[in-house]
Amino acid sequence: MGLRRGLRHANTAYRALSATSRVPLEQKVSGRHSSSQSSLLASSSLSSSRSRYSNPGLYLGLGSCVRRCSNASGTLEQICADAPSSWRQLPAMGEIFSEEVEVGSRLITFETGKLARFAAGAVVLGIKETKVLSTVVSQQGCGDQDFLPLTVDYREKQYAQGKIPNTFMRREGAPKERELLCGRVIDRSIRPLFPKGFYDDVQVIANVLSSDGEQDPDVMAATAASAALTISDIPWDGPIGVVRVGRIDGKFVVNPDMDELSLSDLNLVYSCNRDKTLMIETQAREITNNDLIDALHLAHSEAIKLIEPQLKLAAKVQNQKKQFKLYTISDRTLEKIEGLARTSIETVFADPTYGKFERGKALNKISDDVKRILEEEGDEESLKVLPKAVDTVRKKGHLRRRLYLLFYHQKMSFHTLFV
């Protein structure tokens, strides 16, 4: 019944469109025909093949506003957002830039300019038939938070392997555990390179477009995210390179495929820039320390090969880094608050009678005392950053306390050993 009813409604709509196909659509929009006829313009593409206006151009409707397409293929030149007077020009298809580099025995390609052109940066990274799209966007923060609100989302959909989910709704649910762990690998690799005091909202999305079942796309997504940040206008001290190193029969393999990785006794994921190591994640089966050190040296030498093509890609795109505001504490303000709160904070940490909740109440009382002093002095600049400044002083005091206890215990152990 439902299918027959749907076919009957579709046939009725088709006959109505065929009856009105002799009248130009621009006249219908201008109000020369009834509203019932105008309401059918949104579906005019159904009868465009029968209409005498389908050649040489194709007429498509958007709401009550219609604009003629540029050619018969259906490429829109302009679309209407709200009213006939408010047309918005689609962004022109820009030039597509690409770079290639060989890492290990794999040829890696970087491509930008074709997909996700509204994003601040978008790069498709490919190894053979495995393609990963990473996009980045940012928005100016409100300045209330004292951390970088960086969101990293990594997704592997079944369509990447040409499959349809076998669930009832044919949809995929929340991210799986593997996707969350891959997102953390990307986060730990890129987060340290954002400027200190940069608190704008940043979002990194990595989607696996296609998978040949041979390459693991997790390290590819991290490198693609680095490339997207490099070509974007978001301030970031990159690029970085991310590689995986395995060992089969005593020989190291860079970026092993899935079959090789199943035979490997080492699974090392390594990210770095030119002179610093950013993230290491290792899983191994009883290898020596010297072998692990050799693997790290090999990973670094191969990972830095990914940096140069990203810089060349950014030079082709020519995006200027945007101006941003750093939410930092001036040295004068930090020294002033440290002088007011340091002694009291160290006293709280040194007192063993304080429990967890008592210590928290004592630290809050110290913050209130410092706030009252600053209000009496009228220091508005220090009041704005007071919570963050007190927290910085607290962390310094806690670190000094831990270092002192560590040194004290080592000294006592050394004294006991030789006395």
Side-chain angles (χ1 to χ4, degrees):
M1 289 296 294
L3 179 61
R4 289 198 297 269
R5 187 183 299 109
L7 292 175
R8 185 167 62 252
H9 290 328
N11 191 22
T12 303
Y14 176 76
R15 289 198 304 270
L17 287 172
S18 299
T20 60
S21 62
R22 295 179 175 274
V23 183
L25 299 181
E26 289 88 345
Q27 296 181 9
K28 299 176 187 178
V29 174
S30 62
R32 299 181 183 180
H33 296 269
S34 65
S35 59
S36 61
Q37 292 175 341
S38 299
S39 64
L40 296 173
L41 295 180
S43 305
S44 61
S45 59
L46 296 175
S47 61
S48 59
S49 59
R50 301 292 183 91
S51 174
R52 66 188 181 94
Y53 297 101
S54 61
N55 192 11
L58 173 67
Y59 283 79
L60 293 178
L62 182 62
S64 62
C65 306
V66 180
R67 178 71 87 187
R68 187 175 182 178
C69 295
S70 59
N71 49 48
S73 64
T75 303
L76 286 173
E77 289 182 347
Q78 290 176 324
I79 62 175
C80 178
D82 298 314
S85 60
S86 60
W87 297 96
R88 179 169 58 88
Q89 185 72 27
L90 279 174
M93 176 66 76
E95 188 176 355
I96 300 174
F97 304 107
S98 62
E99 289 289 336
E100 294 182 351
V101 63
E102 185 173 352
V103 177
S105 60
R106 316 291 181 188
L107 181 64
I108 300 177
T109 60
F110 297 84
E111 184 181 275
T112 186
K114 180 184 293 185
L115 301 178
R117 291 179 289 126
F118 277 117
V123 172
V124 177
L125 188 141
I127 299 179
K128 294 184 178 180
E129 297 302 321
T130 302
K131 308 290 183 182
V132 179
L133 169 66
S134 286
T135 59
V136 295
V137 292
S138 69
Q139 183 180 9
Q140 185 176 0
C142 58
D144 295 337
Q145 68 271 11
D146 59 349
F147 64 95
L148 172 64
L150 172 63
T151 302
V152 179
D153 191 9
Y154 172 85
R155 298 306 301 266
E156 293 177 351
K157 299 288 189 179
Q158 293 188 26
Y159 67 75
Q161 292 186 332
K163 297 181 179 179
I164 298 175
N166 55 5
T167 59
F168 177 76
M169 298 299 294
R170 299 294 187 267
R171 294 179 182 270
E172 300 184 50
K176 306 176 186 64
E177 181 181 2
R178 167 181 160 78
E179 293 172 318
L180 296 176
L181 295 177
C182 292
R184 292 176 186 177
V185 169
I186 301 173
D187 187 293
R188 293 197 303 267
S189 299
I190 65 177
R191 185 180 290 270
L193 298 180
F194 285 95
K196 185 178 180 180
F198 176 72
Y199 298 146
D200 286 3
D201 294 321
V202 180
Q203 190 176 47
V204 179
I205 306 296
N207 287 291
V208 181
L209 300 181
S210 64
S211 175
D212 56 8
E214 297 181 3
Q215 307 299 323
D216 197 335
D218 55 354
V219 295
M220 298 173 57
T223 304
S226 167
L229 284 168
T230 302
I231 69 172
S232 70
D233 60 348
I234 302 173
W236 188 65
D237 190 17
I240 65 172
V242 185
V243 296
R244 170 179 274 110
V245 175
R247 192 180 70 164
I248 304 175
D249 296 332
K251 296 182 180 180
F252 292 116
V253 181
V254 180
N255 287 338
D257 58 30
M258 302 298 289
D259 295 333
E260 293 173 338
L261 194 60
S262 64
L263 302 175
S264 174
D265 59 358
L266 173 66
N267 184 2
L268 169 66
V269 178
Y270 181 89
S271 65
C272 66
N273 55 14
R274 290 191 185 275
D275 54 355
K276 293 181 180 179
T277 299
L278 298 172
M279 195 274 307
I280 299 174
E281 190 173 273
T282 308
Q283 180 182 357
R285 291 195 292 267
E286 297 181 358
I287 67 171
T288 63
N289 291 336
N290 293 332
D291 291 341
L292 181 58
I293 292 174
D294 293 339
L296 291 173
H297 284 297
L298 175 62
H300 187 86
S301 62
E302 294 293 330
I304 59 177
K305 295 180 181 178
L306 295 166
I307 295 177
E308 191 61 30
Q310 297 180 54
L311 295 175
K312 291 181 180 179
L313 197 67
K316 292 179 180 179
V317 176
Q318 296 181 349
N319 263 348
Q320 298 294 328
K321 295 297 182 180
K322 64 181 180 181
Q323 299 294 328
F324 59 94
K325 181 180 179 181
L326 291 179
Y327 298 93
T328 56
I329 305 174
S330 63
D331 295 337
R332 184 192 68 84
T333 301
L334 185 59
E335 291 176 0
K336 181 177 181 180
I337 295 178
E338 186 172 4
L340 294 173
R342 175 180 173 179
T343 304
S344 301
I345 290 176
E346 289 181 349
T347 302
V348 171
F349 280 118
D351 192 345
T353 61
Y354 280 111
K356 177 180 179 180
F357 298 104
E358 291 79 4
R359 186 183 300 112
K361 292 179 180 179
L363 292 175
N364 291 335
K365 184 177 182 303
I366 293 173
S367 299
D368 295 338
D369 294 341
V370 175
K371 181 179 180 180
R372 185 176 64 255
I373 294 174
L374 294 177
E375 288 176 346
E376 292 175 356
E377 296 178 356
D379 192 348
E380 297 293 337
E381 179 183 356
S382 299
L383 286 172
K384 291 180 180 179
V385 296
L386 177 61
K388 185 177 180 181
V390 172
D391 186 63
T392 303
V393 176
R394 180 187 62 80
K395 290 179 180 178
K396 286 184 178 181
H398 185 54
L399 180 60
R400 281 193 295 266
R401 177 69 178 172
R402 292 181 61 185
L403 292 176
Y404 169 76
L405 292 176
L406 179 62
F407 176 76
Y408 176 77
H409 288 302
Q410 287 180 348
K411 182 179 179 180
M412 291 299 295
S413 300
F414 182 82
H415 179 75
T416 304
L417 182 63
F418 288 96
V419 172

